[in-house]
Amino acid sequence: MTTTDIPRPTDAGSGRRVAKKRPRKTATGGLRQAVSATTLLWIMACLYGFPVLWFVLSSLKPSSDLFSYPLTLVPHNPTLSGFEAAWDSANFSQYFINTAIVCVITTILTVGISCCTGYALAKYDNKWLKAFFICILATTMLPSEVMLAPEFLVVRNLGLYNSFAGIILPAVLTATGCFMFRQFFLTVPDELVEAARIDGARELAIFARIMVPLSRPIMLTLAILSFQWRWNDYIWPLLMLNDPDKFTVQIGIQSIVGAQNINWSVLLGASVISMIPLIVIFLVFQRYVMGADINAGLKD
């Protein structure tokens, strides 16, 4: 018997196929990626939030401390005198009411018309609708200053000068809102609409009972954006209104600024007051936007 014929000792489990251990992905790699992304987000939040924090804290400083050297972030003697002077120097209660009326009506009309337009552009196959959609998108390429003069002439000739209707109507139809709803309705399967038609549902019922509930996240998002746009709008109300009782918040803030000098404490206080409704609106509705399931009901 040669040495090659000598049986070698084998293990009991040698007959089984030993699976090769694959190197598992360590948790450190994913943790490193998560930490880097989180760190980047925190850095961006600090970069954007620091000027806002300085702005809010500066509104609590007296006028003598705003330009004191060295500059300080936290006020040594915080005071609300700037807010009180801003509220007393201008009719802010009337400004808030006027702006709220304009913002609420414009937001409701903007969301409703954009929803209808986006549904028609997404679910109806017509060459004229496609051309109309291109025209809507083309308006985004024009600066708003270019369209101020023709819009003003049209509104004035319609007899809407120095009225809330003159501010609301030109701002109802927005290319952004139409584009948002169109892109959303394109993700809705056409089979869902066809099934409703086979069941005997009319077009208006399909839109009101199926499409509108599905588009709730987009509606809330556009509502927040529209309210913010109209609240911060300054140029168009300034051109359209000459009655102080109809001024909006932004025009009221501008009226505080003097021709020769500026009371920065009062101006900062008025600016912070104007921010409060926007912050409240965002805090109230953000959970509906962030928590809504955009893909609800869209699976085949």
Side-chain angles (χ1 to χ4, degrees):
M1 180 181 293
T2 61
T3 57
T4 57
D5 296 333
I6 300 176
R8 298 179 181 178
T10 59
D11 296 333
S14 61
R16 293 178 299 178
R17 184 179 180 181
V18 180
K20 295 183 180 180
K21 294 183 178 180
R22 297 180 178 180
R24 292 183 299 177
K25 188 177 181 179
T26 60
T28 57
L31 181 61
R32 187 182 300 110
Q33 294 179 358
V35 170
S36 61
T38 304
T39 304
L40 179 61
L41 290 177
W42 274 109
I43 292 175
M44 294 180 63
C46 292
L47 291 176
Y48 282 95
F50 181 75
V52 178
L53 179 62
W54 189 296
F55 170 73
V56 174
L57 293 178
S58 297
S59 64
L60 300 175
K61 297 179 181 180
S63 301
S64 58
D65 294 345
L66 285 175
F67 301 100
S68 62
Y69 185 82
L71 297 176
T72 57
L73 177 64
V74 181
H76 297 294
N77 299 313
T79 179
L80 297 178
S81 59
F83 295 91
E84 297 174 357
W87 190 269
D88 295 336
S89 61
N91 191 7
F92 261 94
S93 58
Q94 186 64 41
Y95 297 157
F96 269 84
I97 295 174
N98 297 340
T99 311
I101 293 173
V102 172
C103 292
V104 171
I105 296 177
T106 306
T107 299
I108 294 175
L109 294 177
T110 298
V111 173
I113 293 177
S114 299
C115 186
C116 297
T117 307
Y119 175 72
L121 294 174
K123 293 305 178 183
Y124 293 103
D125 189 9
N126 189 297
K127 61 180 181 179
W128 299 111
L129 287 177
K130 295 179 180 179
F132 180 65
F133 177 63
I134 294 175
C135 293
I136 293 176
L137 290 182
T139 59
T140 61
M141 304 177 186
L142 297 175
S144 58
E145 293 79 5
V146 175
M147 297 184 291
L148 285 178
E151 286 182 358
F152 177 80
L153 294 177
V154 171
V155 173
R156 187 194 62 181
N157 294 335
L158 291 175
L160 301 178
Y161 179 73
N162 195 30
S163 65
F164 291 150
I167 303 175
I168 294 172
L169 293 180
V172 167
L173 185 61
T174 61
T176 303
C178 297
F179 181 78
M180 289 173 59
F181 276 102
R182 178 185 179 273
Q183 296 304 113
F184 174 78
F185 286 130
L186 285 176
T187 62
V188 179
D190 294 335
E191 291 79 3
L192 186 63
V193 180
E194 294 298 333
R197 290 172 179 168
I198 293 174
D199 292 338
R202 297 183 177 181
E203 295 297 324
L204 184 60
I206 295 174
F207 173 73
R209 297 181 180 181
I210 299 177
M211 294 300 174
V212 171
L214 288 177
S215 62
R216 181 187 174 189
I218 307 300
M219 296 176 69
L220 292 175
T221 303
L222 181 60
I224 294 176
L225 293 176
S226 177
F227 192 93
Q228 177 186 355
W229 294 336
R230 303 287 76 80
W231 189 274
N232 292 327
D233 195 5
Y234 169 71
I235 297 296
W236 184 245
L238 181 64
L239 293 176
M240 290 302 303
L241 301 175
N242 59 7
D243 186 0
D245 293 333
K246 296 181 181 180
F247 282 174
T248 58
V249 170
Q250 303 304 324
I251 303 178
I253 294 176
Q254 191 273 340
S255 63
I256 298 176
V257 180
Q260 301 297 331
N261 55 358
I262 301 175
N263 191 336
W264 290 102
S265 179
V266 177
L267 182 60
L268 291 173
S271 300
V272 173
I273 292 175
S274 68
M275 292 170 51
I276 295 176
L278 294 179
I279 297 175
V280 173
I281 291 294
F282 177 76
L283 293 178
V284 170
F285 289 102
Q286 71 160 342
R287 63 189 184 97
Y288 296 103
V289 177
M290 303 301 294
D293 186 6
I294 297 180
N295 296 320
L298 304 184
K299 297 181 180 179
D300 293 330

